[in-house]
Amino acid sequence: MTIFRFALRRSFRGPFNILLLCVLPVGVVFIPPVEGTVLPLGFHFYGQVIMFAAFLMVRSVVDDRTSGVLARVAASPVSHFRYLGETLAAYGLLLVVQNALVVALGSVLYRGRLGSPLLQVVAFACFSISSVAFCLA
């Protein structure tokens, strides 16, 4: 099993992770808009949800470090760069799919209030990948 698939599997092990990845972001979309803001209020909080999700997903890498898995990775033919790169790709993919779901649901719910949903997905994707990368660093 590659590190990428292992990281994807590991992110869905606990019920709290499933709640954080699936239910909480969808719930944030339903926060009602406030007058005077460009975007609905839920999209303002969604950045914090992304940072929290990135932190909780990367927490498993810290567990690997304390349990000695990284020592076994160092002894294997897998480099640390590949280990971190595939972990970043797996967690980044999960957050990008989550971003696409949230923006699609928001564009259906708030029809004309979201300016350009495609640009929002790109902006959220860049933020998600950089959040995971900062947490990994």
Side-chain angles (χ1 to χ4, degrees):
M1 177 180 339
T2 64
I3 299 167
F4 180 81
R5 284 189 285 170
F6 179 70
L8 283 177
R9 266 192 178 166
R10 193 155 92 178
S11 62
F12 286 110
R13 277 192 186 160
F16 186 68
N17 286 347
I18 294 171
L19 176 78
L20 180 72
L21 289 173
C22 301
V23 178
L24 184 64
V26 172
V28 168
V29 174
F30 292 107
I31 295 176
V34 176
E35 287 188 37
T37 59
V38 177
L39 292 174
L41 193 58
F43 283 89
H44 293 283
F45 292 133
Y46 184 61
Q48 294 174 345
V49 170
I50 291 173
M51 286 292 290
F52 188 62
F55 169 73
L56 286 181
M57 283 192 288
V58 172
R59 187 180 61 185
S60 63
V61 175
V62 174
D63 293 340
D64 287 349
R65 177 176 270 171
T66 58
S67 68
V69 170
L70 284 182
R72 291 190 292 270
V73 168
S76 71
V78 176
S79 67
H80 287 289
F81 182 74
R82 180 176 171 204
Y83 174 76
L84 290 175
E86 289 189 25
T87 303
L88 172 67
Y91 295 154
L93 176 70
L94 287 174
L95 286 178
V96 167
V97 169
Q98 175 186 1
N99 295 336
L101 175 72
V102 166
V103 171
L105 184 63
S107 64
V108 168
L109 192 63
Y110 299 112
R111 294 201 172 40
R113 289 201 63 176
L114 301 180
S116 175
L118 183 61
L119 288 176
Q120 282 188 342
V121 169
V122 170
F124 281 140
C126 291
F127 183 70
S128 297
I129 291 171
S130 63
S131 295
V132 173
F134 280 130
C135 290
L136 280 173

